[in-house]
Amino acid sequence: MSLGSLLYRAALGEAMAVAANIRTGRKVGGDVPTYAQVQNLSARGHDPGPGSG
């Protein structure tokens, strides 16, 4: 099964939603990984972060 550009488009859509919320002063919600969780993605035995299970 091919995801094609789905992951890119989903990430872009979320980035646009976050930018719109920031621009209008609304709270940014959703499953936003911490900086440490993002850094751990490149480490062995990483923590997949929120929304992964």
Short mmCIF file of all heavy atoms in Angstrom, two decimals:
data_model
loop_
_atom_site.label_atom_id
_atom_site.label_comp_id
_atom_site.label_asym_id
_atom_site.label_seq_id
_atom_site.Cartn_x
_atom_site.Cartn_y
_atom_site.Cartn_z
N MET A 1 0.84 -1.17 0.00
CA MET A 1 0.00 0.00 0.00
C MET A 1 0.89 1.24 0.00
O MET A 1 1.82 1.33 0.79
CB MET A 1 -0.88 -0.03 1.25
CG MET A 1 -1.70 1.20 1.42
SD MET A 1 -3.00 0.99 2.61
CE MET A 1 -2.30 1.84 3.99
N SER A 2 0.59 2.16 -0.85
CA SER A 2 1.35 3.39 -0.94
C SER A 2 0.60 4.53 -0.26
O SER A 2 -0.60 4.70 -0.44
CB SER A 2 1.57 3.75 -2.41
OG SER A 2 2.15 5.04 -2.51
N LEU A 3 1.34 5.30 0.54
CA LEU A 3 0.75 6.47 1.17
C LEU A 3 0.95 7.71 0.32
O LEU A 3 0.37 8.75 0.60
CB LEU A 3 1.36 6.69 2.55
CG LEU A 3 1.09 5.61 3.58
CD1 LEU A 3 1.81 5.93 4.88
CD2 LEU A 3 -0.39 5.45 3.83
N GLY A 4 1.79 7.59 -0.69
CA GLY A 4 2.03 8.73 -1.57
C GLY A 4 2.43 9.94 -0.76
O GLY A 4 3.32 9.89 0.08
N SER A 5 1.74 11.02 -0.96
CA SER A 5 2.06 12.27 -0.26
C SER A 5 1.19 12.49 0.97
O SER A 5 1.21 13.59 1.53
CB SER A 5 1.91 13.44 -1.23
OG SER A 5 0.54 13.55 -1.63
N LEU A 6 0.46 11.46 1.40
CA LEU A 6 -0.48 11.64 2.52
C LEU A 6 0.20 12.17 3.78
O LEU A 6 -0.30 13.11 4.40
CB LEU A 6 -1.19 10.33 2.82
CG LEU A 6 -2.13 10.36 4.04
CD1 LEU A 6 -3.25 11.37 3.82
CD2 LEU A 6 -2.68 8.99 4.31
N LEU A 7 1.33 11.60 4.18
CA LEU A 7 1.98 12.04 5.41
C LEU A 7 2.44 13.49 5.29
O LEU A 7 2.28 14.28 6.24
CB LEU A 7 3.17 11.14 5.74
CG LEU A 7 2.81 9.69 6.08
CD1 LEU A 7 4.07 8.87 6.31
CD2 LEU A 7 1.89 9.61 7.27
N TYR A 8 2.98 13.86 4.16
CA TYR A 8 3.41 15.24 3.95
C TYR A 8 2.22 16.19 4.01
O TYR A 8 2.26 17.22 4.68
CB TYR A 8 4.13 15.38 2.60
CG TYR A 8 4.39 16.82 2.23
CD1 TYR A 8 5.41 17.53 2.85
CD2 TYR A 8 3.61 17.46 1.28
CE1 TYR A 8 5.65 18.86 2.53
CE2 TYR A 8 3.84 18.78 0.95
CZ TYR A 8 4.85 19.48 1.58
OH TYR A 8 5.08 20.79 1.27
N ARG A 9 1.14 15.83 3.31
CA ARG A 9 -0.03 16.71 3.29
C ARG A 9 -0.68 16.82 4.66
O ARG A 9 -1.14 17.90 5.05
CB ARG A 9 -1.03 16.23 2.24
CG ARG A 9 -0.51 16.43 0.82
CD ARG A 9 -1.49 15.99 -0.27
NE ARG A 9 -1.66 14.54 -0.27
CZ ARG A 9 -2.80 13.91 0.01
NH1 ARG A 9 -3.88 14.59 0.30
NH2 ARG A 9 -2.86 12.59 -0.02
N ALA A 10 -0.70 15.72 5.42
CA ALA A 10 -1.28 15.75 6.77
C ALA A 10 -0.44 16.66 7.68
O ALA A 10 -0.99 17.48 8.44
CB ALA A 10 -1.35 14.35 7.35
N ALA A 11 0.88 16.54 7.58
CA ALA A 11 1.77 17.39 8.39
C ALA A 11 1.62 18.86 8.00
O ALA A 11 1.57 19.75 8.85
CB ALA A 11 3.21 16.94 8.24
N LEU A 12 1.53 19.13 6.72
CA LEU A 12 1.36 20.49 6.24
C LEU A 12 0.02 21.07 6.73
O LEU A 12 -0.05 22.22 7.17
CB LEU A 12 1.43 20.54 4.72
CG LEU A 12 1.33 21.91 4.08
CD1 LEU A 12 2.42 22.84 4.59
CD2 LEU A 12 1.40 21.77 2.56
N GLY A 13 -1.03 20.26 6.68
CA GLY A 13 -2.33 20.72 7.16
C GLY A 13 -2.30 21.07 8.63
O GLY A 13 -2.86 22.08 9.06
N GLU A 14 -1.61 20.24 9.44
CA GLU A 14 -1.49 20.51 10.87
C GLU A 14 -0.66 21.77 11.12
O GLU A 14 -0.99 22.57 11.99
CB GLU A 14 -0.89 19.32 11.60
CG GLU A 14 -1.86 18.17 11.77
CD GLU A 14 -3.10 18.56 12.57
OE1 GLU A 14 -2.98 19.19 13.64
OE2 GLU A 14 -4.21 18.23 12.11
N ALA A 15 0.41 21.94 10.35
CA ALA A 15 1.25 23.13 10.50
C ALA A 15 0.44 24.39 10.19
O ALA A 15 0.54 25.41 10.89
CB ALA A 15 2.47 23.05 9.59
N MET A 16 -0.39 24.32 9.17
CA MET A 16 -1.23 25.46 8.81
C MET A 16 -2.27 25.75 9.90
O MET A 16 -2.53 26.92 10.23
CB MET A 16 -1.92 25.20 7.47
CG MET A 16 -0.93 25.18 6.31
SD MET A 16 -1.62 24.57 4.75
CE MET A 16 -2.95 25.70 4.47
N ALA A 17 -2.83 24.70 10.50
CA ALA A 17 -3.81 24.88 11.58
C ALA A 17 -3.16 25.50 12.81
O ALA A 17 -3.72 26.40 13.44
CB ALA A 17 -4.46 23.55 11.93
N VAL A 18 -1.95 25.04 13.16
CA VAL A 18 -1.23 25.61 14.30
C VAL A 18 -0.92 27.08 14.05
O VAL A 18 -1.11 27.93 14.92
CB VAL A 18 0.05 24.81 14.60
CG1 VAL A 18 0.96 25.55 15.57
CG2 VAL A 18 -0.30 23.44 15.15
N ALA A 19 -0.45 27.40 12.85
CA ALA A 19 -0.13 28.79 12.51
C ALA A 19 -1.38 29.67 12.61
O ALA A 19 -1.32 30.79 13.14
CB ALA A 19 0.47 28.87 11.11
N ALA A 20 -2.51 29.17 12.14
CA ALA A 20 -3.76 29.94 12.22
C ALA A 20 -4.16 30.15 13.68
O ALA A 20 -4.60 31.25 14.04
CB ALA A 20 -4.87 29.21 11.46
N ASN A 21 -4.01 29.14 14.51
CA ASN A 21 -4.35 29.29 15.93
C ASN A 21 -3.44 30.31 16.61
O ASN A 21 -3.91 31.14 17.39
CB ASN A 21 -4.25 27.94 16.66
CG ASN A 21 -5.43 27.05 16.35
OD1 ASN A 21 -6.44 27.48 15.84
ND2 ASN A 21 -5.29 25.77 16.66
N ILE A 22 -2.15 30.25 16.32
CA ILE A 22 -1.22 31.21 16.91
C ILE A 22 -1.57 32.62 16.44
O ILE A 22 -1.60 33.56 17.25
CB ILE A 22 0.23 30.84 16.55
CG1 ILE A 22 0.62 29.55 17.27
CG2 ILE A 22 1.19 31.98 16.90
CD1 ILE A 22 1.94 28.96 16.81
N ARG A 23 -1.84 32.77 15.16
CA ARG A 23 -2.14 34.07 14.59
C ARG A 23 -3.37 34.70 15.23
O ARG A 23 -3.43 35.92 15.45
CB ARG A 23 -2.33 33.94 13.07
CG ARG A 23 -2.57 35.25 12.36
CD ARG A 23 -2.64 35.12 10.84
NE ARG A 23 -3.53 34.09 10.38
CZ ARG A 23 -3.18 32.96 9.75
NH1 ARG A 23 -1.91 32.72 9.52
NH2 ARG A 23 -4.07 32.09 9.37
N THR A 24 -4.38 33.90 15.57
CA THR A 24 -5.62 34.42 16.13
C THR A 24 -5.66 34.36 17.65
O THR A 24 -6.68 34.68 18.25
CB THR A 24 -6.83 33.66 15.56
OG1 THR A 24 -6.70 32.27 15.86
CG2 THR A 24 -6.95 33.86 14.06
N GLY A 25 -4.56 33.93 18.28
CA GLY A 25 -4.49 33.90 19.72
C GLY A 25 -5.18 32.73 20.38
O GLY A 25 -5.39 32.72 21.59
N ARG A 26 -5.54 31.72 19.58
CA ARG A 26 -6.18 30.53 20.15
C ARG A 26 -5.13 29.55 20.63
O ARG A 26 -3.99 29.58 20.20
CB ARG A 26 -7.08 29.85 19.11
CG ARG A 26 -8.32 30.66 18.78
CD ARG A 26 -9.18 29.92 17.81
NE ARG A 26 -8.45 29.79 16.54
CZ ARG A 26 -9.03 29.73 15.36
NH1 ARG A 26 -10.34 29.74 15.25
NH2 ARG A 26 -8.31 29.62 14.27
N LYS A 27 -5.56 28.66 21.52
CA LYS A 27 -4.68 27.64 22.08
C LYS A 27 -4.34 26.61 20.99
O LYS A 27 -5.18 26.25 20.19
CB LYS A 27 -5.37 26.95 23.24
CG LYS A 27 -4.52 25.93 23.93
CD LYS A 27 -5.24 25.33 25.13
CE LYS A 27 -4.36 24.28 25.77
NZ LYS A 27 -5.00 23.64 26.90
N VAL A 28 -3.09 26.16 21.02
CA VAL A 28 -2.66 25.10 20.12
C VAL A 28 -2.92 23.78 20.83
O VAL A 28 -2.45 23.56 21.93
CB VAL A 28 -1.16 25.24 19.76
CG1 VAL A 28 -0.69 24.07 18.93
CG2 VAL A 28 -0.91 26.55 19.04
N GLY A 29 -3.68 22.90 20.21
CA GLY A 29 -4.03 21.64 20.84
C GLY A 29 -3.50 20.46 20.06
O GLY A 29 -2.65 20.60 19.17
N GLY A 30 -4.00 19.30 20.40
CA GLY A 30 -3.62 18.09 19.70
C GLY A 30 -2.46 17.40 20.37
O GLY A 30 -1.99 17.79 21.43
N ASP A 31 -2.00 16.36 19.73
CA ASP A 31 -0.88 15.57 20.23
C ASP A 31 0.43 16.14 19.70
O ASP A 31 0.90 15.75 18.63
CB ASP A 31 -1.01 14.10 19.80
CG ASP A 31 -2.11 13.37 20.52
OD1 ASP A 31 -2.46 13.81 21.64
OD2 ASP A 31 -2.59 12.36 20.01
N VAL A 32 0.99 17.06 20.43
CA VAL A 32 2.24 17.68 20.03
C VAL A 32 3.37 17.05 20.84
O VAL A 32 3.39 17.16 22.06
CB VAL A 32 2.21 19.21 20.27
CG1 VAL A 32 3.52 19.85 19.87
CG2 VAL A 32 1.05 19.84 19.53
N PRO A 33 4.30 16.36 20.17
CA PRO A 33 5.39 15.73 20.91
C PRO A 33 6.32 16.78 21.51
O PRO A 33 6.45 17.89 20.98
CB PRO A 33 6.13 14.90 19.85
CG PRO A 33 5.77 15.53 18.56
CD PRO A 33 4.41 16.14 18.73
N THR A 34 6.95 16.42 22.62
CA THR A 34 7.92 17.32 23.23
C THR A 34 9.18 17.34 22.38
O THR A 34 9.39 16.48 21.51
CB THR A 34 8.29 16.84 24.65
OG1 THR A 34 8.97 15.59 24.53
CG2 THR A 34 7.07 16.71 25.53
N TYR A 35 10.04 18.32 22.65
CA TYR A 35 11.31 18.40 21.93
C TYR A 35 12.12 17.13 22.17
O TYR A 35 12.72 16.57 21.25
CB TYR A 35 12.08 19.64 22.40
CG TYR A 35 13.36 19.86 21.63
CD1 TYR A 35 13.34 20.49 20.39
CD2 TYR A 35 14.58 19.44 22.13
CE1 TYR A 35 14.50 20.69 19.68
CE2 TYR A 35 15.76 19.63 21.42
CZ TYR A 35 15.71 20.26 20.19
OH TYR A 35 16.86 20.45 19.49
N ALA A 36 12.13 16.66 23.42
CA ALA A 36 12.89 15.44 23.76
C ALA A 36 12.35 14.24 22.99
O ALA A 36 13.13 13.40 22.52
CB ALA A 36 12.84 15.18 25.25
N GLN A 37 11.04 14.13 22.83
CA GLN A 37 10.47 13.01 22.08
C GLN A 37 10.90 13.05 20.62
O GLN A 37 11.18 12.02 20.02
CB GLN A 37 8.96 13.01 22.21
CG GLN A 37 8.48 12.60 23.59
CD GLN A 37 7.01 12.85 23.79
OE1 GLN A 37 6.45 13.81 23.28
NE2 GLN A 37 6.37 11.97 24.55
N VAL A 38 10.95 14.23 20.05
CA VAL A 38 11.39 14.36 18.66
C VAL A 38 12.86 13.96 18.54
O VAL A 38 13.22 13.23 17.62
CB VAL A 38 11.17 15.81 18.15
CG1 VAL A 38 11.80 16.01 16.78
CG2 VAL A 38 9.68 16.13 18.10
N GLN A 39 13.68 14.40 19.49
CA GLN A 39 15.09 14.03 19.47
C GLN A 39 15.26 12.52 19.61
O GLN A 39 16.13 11.93 18.98
CB GLN A 39 15.85 14.74 20.60
CG GLN A 39 15.99 16.22 20.39
CD GLN A 39 16.78 16.56 19.15
OE1 GLN A 39 17.91 16.12 18.99
NE2 GLN A 39 16.18 17.34 18.27
N ASN A 40 14.41 11.89 20.41
CA ASN A 40 14.50 10.45 20.63
C ASN A 40 14.11 9.63 19.40
O ASN A 40 14.42 8.45 19.33
CB ASN A 40 13.64 10.03 21.81
CG ASN A 40 14.25 10.39 23.13
OD1 ASN A 40 15.46 10.55 23.25
ND2 ASN A 40 13.41 10.55 24.14
N LEU A 41 13.46 10.23 18.43
CA LEU A 41 13.08 9.51 17.22
C LEU A 41 14.30 8.99 16.47
O LEU A 41 14.22 7.99 15.77
CB LEU A 41 12.24 10.39 16.30
CG LEU A 41 10.84 10.72 16.81
CD1 LEU A 41 10.18 11.72 15.88
CD2 LEU A 41 10.00 9.48 16.95
N SER A 42 15.44 9.67 16.64
CA SER A 42 16.64 9.23 15.95
C SER A 42 17.52 8.35 16.83
O SER A 42 18.58 7.92 16.41
CB SER A 42 17.45 10.44 15.46
OG SER A 42 17.89 11.20 16.56
N ALA A 43 17.06 8.08 18.06
CA ALA A 43 17.83 7.24 18.98
C ALA A 43 17.25 5.84 19.03
O ALA A 43 16.05 5.64 18.82
CB ALA A 43 17.80 7.86 20.37
N ARG A 44 18.08 4.88 19.28
CA ARG A 44 17.63 3.49 19.40
C ARG A 44 16.68 3.39 20.59
O ARG A 44 16.92 3.96 21.63
CB ARG A 44 18.83 2.58 19.61
CG ARG A 44 18.43 1.13 19.78
CD ARG A 44 19.62 0.27 19.81
NE ARG A 44 20.02 0.11 18.41
CZ ARG A 44 20.74 -0.90 17.97
NH1 ARG A 44 21.19 -1.80 18.80
NH2 ARG A 44 21.05 -1.01 16.70
N GLY A 45 15.59 2.64 20.42
CA GLY A 45 14.63 2.46 21.49
C GLY A 45 13.82 3.71 21.77
O GLY A 45 13.50 4.01 22.90
N HIS A 46 13.50 4.44 20.72
CA HIS A 46 12.82 5.73 20.89
C HIS A 46 11.43 5.59 21.50
O HIS A 46 10.79 4.56 21.39
CB HIS A 46 12.75 6.47 19.55
CG HIS A 46 11.78 5.83 18.58
ND1 HIS A 46 12.12 4.77 17.79
CD2 HIS A 46 10.49 6.11 18.31
CE1 HIS A 46 11.06 4.41 17.06
NE2 HIS A 46 10.08 5.22 17.36
N ASP A 47 10.97 6.67 22.13
CA ASP A 47 9.62 6.80 22.64
C ASP A 47 8.78 7.39 21.53
O ASP A 47 9.03 8.51 21.09
CB ASP A 47 9.63 7.74 23.85
CG ASP A 47 8.24 8.08 24.35
OD1 ASP A 47 7.26 7.43 23.94
OD2 ASP A 47 8.13 9.02 25.17
N PRO A 48 7.75 6.67 21.03
CA PRO A 48 6.97 7.18 19.91
C PRO A 48 6.13 8.40 20.26
O PRO A 48 5.65 9.08 19.38
CB PRO A 48 6.10 6.00 19.50
CG PRO A 48 6.10 5.10 20.68
CD PRO A 48 7.36 5.35 21.44
N GLY A 49 5.94 8.69 21.55
CA GLY A 49 5.25 9.92 21.94
C GLY A 49 3.75 9.78 21.99
O GLY A 49 3.21 8.68 21.88
N PRO A 50 3.07 10.91 22.16
CA PRO A 50 1.61 10.88 22.32
C PRO A 50 0.90 10.41 21.06
O PRO A 50 1.39 10.59 19.94
CB PRO A 50 1.26 12.34 22.64
CG PRO A 50 2.39 13.13 22.08
CD PRO A 50 3.60 12.25 22.17
N GLY A 51 -0.23 9.79 21.26
CA GLY A 51 -1.05 9.36 20.13
C GLY A 51 -0.56 8.11 19.44
O GLY A 51 -1.08 7.73 18.39
N SER A 52 0.44 7.44 19.99
CA SER A 52 1.01 6.30 19.31
C SER A 52 0.44 4.97 19.78
O SER A 52 0.80 3.93 19.27
CB SER A 52 2.53 6.27 19.52
OG SER A 52 2.82 6.13 20.90
N GLY A 53 -0.43 5.00 20.76
CA GLY A 53 -0.89 3.71 21.22
C GLY A 53 -2.19 3.76 21.80
O GLY A 53 -3.10 3.31 22.08
#
